[in-house]
Amino acid sequence: MVVAEPNQLVLVSGPSRGGKSRWAEHLISQEPSVTYLATSESRPDDHAWQQRINIHRQRRPEHWRLVECGADLASTLNQTDPEQSLLIDSLGGFVASNLESTDREWTALCQSLCNSLQQRSRPVVIVIEETGWGVVPATAAGGLFRDRLGWLAQELERQSRQSWLVVQGRALDLHRFGVKVP
């Protein structure tokens, strides 16, 4: 479980369908009040996507508040009460929504996001997709997505109090078992 303390940032990463969201939900489940920030854009014509969203909705406790922020994650964080515990699912949606930004704009967005997270007084659990595990994206946009997401994950890890890798339904505590790369 997440221990509530100031600037409590918890990262949950892993491959698709590994159990990241379930683990993140478990970690923050004892918080009295949670706002769930969904970063992916709506896809009403994509039946499979709608099914995934429904699964997430059914798992969430009814008292959790949902905010579908899409690309506006940093500004949404700034507008959300700092006393509110947050579950952000996931950074991949935020990165994908901002792929057309220039490098300068991207850096400013990331700085704004990191600054917003440092202002939180309740726990924040962030789900992050792991990309590039041996697959080289065939497109420039795919490579940019992989590079930006990987860079942002490492930046946020420096601020985190907990970091988890979830693979095949198993959660590994990276701070306990991992060694920081110099």
Side-chain angles (χ1 to χ4, degrees), residues 100-177:
E100 294 183 10
S101 63
T102 65
D103 289 343
R104 177 174 279 164
E105 291 167 337
W106 174 248
T107 300
L109 277 171
C110 291
Q111 187 62 49
S112 177
L113 175 64
C114 290
N115 290 342
S116 297
L117 289 168
Q118 290 175 350
Q119 303 306 312
R120 308 299 305 174
S121 58
R122 299 295 302 165
V124 178
V125 177
I126 301 177
V127 177
I128 307 170
E129 298 85 345
E130 284 294 337
T131 61
W133 286 31
V135 176
V136 177
T139 64
L144 183 61
F145 176 83
R146 177 204 56 212
D147 293 349
R148 285 184 173 180
L149 187 61
W151 178 85
L152 183 55
Q154 288 188 52
E155 286 297 309
L156 291 173
E157 208 292 322
R158 287 185 190 95
Q159 296 179 23
S160 72
R161 297 278 174 98
Q162 294 180 38
S163 189
W164 296 89
L165 174 64
V166 181
V167 180
Q168 299 174 0
R170 296 268 188 191
L172 304 169
D173 182 341
L174 294 178
H175 285 194
R176 183 172 175 197
F177 297 110

Side-chain angles (χ1 to χ4, degrees), residues 37 69 71-80 94 109 112-113 116:
L37 300 179
C69 61
D72 298 325
L73 178 58
S75 62
T76 301
L77 282 171
N78 290 331
Q79 296 168 10
T80 304
F94 168 71
L109 277 171
S112 177
L113 175 64
S116 297

